[in-house]
Amino acid sequence: MSVTERGTEMRSYYDRPIVKEPVWQPEIPLYFFTGGVAGGCSVLHGIARVTGQERLAKTALYVGAVFDAVSPALLISDLGRPERFLNMLRVFKVTSPMSVGSWVLLLSSGASNTAAALELLGRLRPVKWAAEAVSFLTGPPLATYTGTLLANTAIPVWHEARHELPWLFGASGSASAGAATTLFMPPDEAGPARRLAIAGVLGELAWMELMERRLGFVGEVYKQGQAGKFGRLSKALTSAGATLLAWKGRRSRAASVTGSALVLGGELALRWSVFKAGFQSARDPRYTVIPQRERLAKRR
């Protein structure tokens, strides 16, 4: 590939992108969001069940089950045909985030919906407990594997952030799950979920700042174009929502609902920001070539 520099502009051979843009459709960032909520709710449900907070446990279970049911539908919609999802389950390859993630989604979705249905019917308690255990164990991988999946691609801004993206998505999933559960809980009983939402937002903002700093000039795409717009919107909404939850969320139902809605909106915007950043970095040859040259210079 012939690459020339003209001032601050770098152009590729025939002005064609060096890295092909992702072919994913808008269902994918929505899937990243719903999977994060479902995974976080599975963990919250398990902890609430062990600590004897039954109402919180049931609410987290039902909320997680809804998002767990939506996630496969979004993924299948992006794939185009249901049999393509089934083909992904033909093998289990530990070194493939997509293969592992497909099985995690299948197990998590099946377990959480089974547990929710049996909880609602009040039957087959041993089966329900087993389903809850599977849901709890698959929750963290479900919330984070999509970050690993992005980092495993050749897209510069995703691959260069391979150490931060899974943690960022995990923190975002925690914040989303806490906020979604808080929406349906009385303020005086929503303490653990509310604290999870606030802690998740703080963790997410910290990981986002760390990621952008470590990415260096590659991370500038998060300040440009649609990725920048969604990123600024995400930070504004999550910060406002977490502040409102911490300030009045324990005493006011209106503040609890509003704060939770703001956090959820911000977390959805975050997934869109990461999604759009990948497209933007793939279009510009600089984000592919310069990091490669820097790594080569270090080896020399």
Side-chain angles (χ1 to χ4, degrees):
M1 180 68 68
S2 174
V3 179
T4 58
E5 291 191 54
R6 303 178 182 178
T8 59
E9 181 184 8
M10 181 173 289
R11 302 180 65 184
S12 62
Y13 195 51
Y14 287 132
D15 289 335
R16 296 178 65 86
I18 297 175
V19 177
K20 185 178 180 180
E21 289 186 22
V23 296
W24 289 329
Q25 299 301 311
E27 290 92 340
I28 293 301
L30 295 176
Y31 166 65
F32 291 165
F33 172 72
T34 58
V37 177
C41 282
S42 295
V43 177
L44 179 60
H45 161 71
I47 295 175
R49 183 74 76 191
V50 170
T51 56
Q53 301 177 77
E54 291 300 319
R55 182 166 184 173
L56 176 61
K58 288 182 180 181
T59 303
L61 176 62
Y62 293 144
V63 171
V66 170
F67 282 93
D68 252 327
V70 171
S71 294
L74 290 170
L75 184 56
I76 290 172
S77 175
D78 176 74
L79 292 172
R81 295 199 302 268
E83 59 267 25
R84 290 178 177 172
F85 178 72
L86 296 177
N87 289 336
M88 295 167 65
L89 303 174
R90 294 174 63 184
V91 296
F92 180 78
K93 190 175 182 180
V94 179
T95 56
S96 170
M98 182 171 291
S99 175
V100 174
S102 300
W103 278 98
V104 167
L105 175 61
L106 178 68
L107 291 173
S108 178
S109 180
S112 68
N113 281 278
T114 298
L118 294 178
E119 178 72 48
L120 191 63
L121 296 173
R123 296 183 177 182
L124 300 176
R125 292 173 66 86
V127 177
K128 180 178 76 74
W129 293 335
E132 288 175 337
V134 173
S135 177
F136 177 77
L137 293 175
T138 55
L142 180 63
T144 58
Y145 96 87
T146 46
T148 304
L149 176 64
L150 293 180
N152 200 47
T153 67
I155 304 300
V157 77
W158 293 344
H159 184 71
E160 296 296 324
R162 57 192 175 276
H163 300 298
E164 293 83 18
L165 274 176
W167 294 100
L168 175 66
F169 276 29
S172 176
S174 299
S176 303
T181 304
T182 301
L183 271 175
F184 301 98
M185 291 285 296
D188 58 334
E189 297 184 52
R194 185 171 56 249
R195 288 190 289 271
L196 179 64
I198 296 170
V201 168
L202 294 176
E204 169 208 320
L205 293 174
W207 277 110
M208 192 68 187
E209 181 66 22
L210 176 64
M211 183 179 74
E212 290 183 8
R213 288 179 179 272
R214 202 185 69 79
L215 283 172
F217 94 98
V218 177
E220 69 185 20
V221 295
Y222 281 109
K223 297 178 173 61
Q224 301 170 351
Q226 289 185 308
K229 292 178 181 178
F230 280 117
R232 290 187 292 272
L233 179 62
S234 172
K235 291 177 181 178
L237 291 177
T238 54
S239 298
T243 300
L244 187 57
L245 287 175
W247 180 33
K248 289 189 175 182
R250 188 173 63 177
R251 300 183 301 273
S252 169
R253 175 66 175 166
S256 180
V257 170
T258 303
S260 297
L262 288 172
V263 170
L264 287 171
E267 300 306 339
L268 180 58
L270 170 69
R271 305 308 172 104
W272 274 99
S273 176
V274 174
F275 183 69
K276 291 296 184 181
F279 286 79
Q280 293 171 202
S281 71
R283 296 187 191 116
D284 194 330
R286 294 180 307 139
Y287 301 127
T288 301
V289 175
I290 293 179
Q292 290 178 343
R293 290 180 175 176
E294 290 176 346
R295 285 192 290 268
L296 183 60
K298 288 180 180 179
R299 292 193 188 101
R300 288 175 177 173

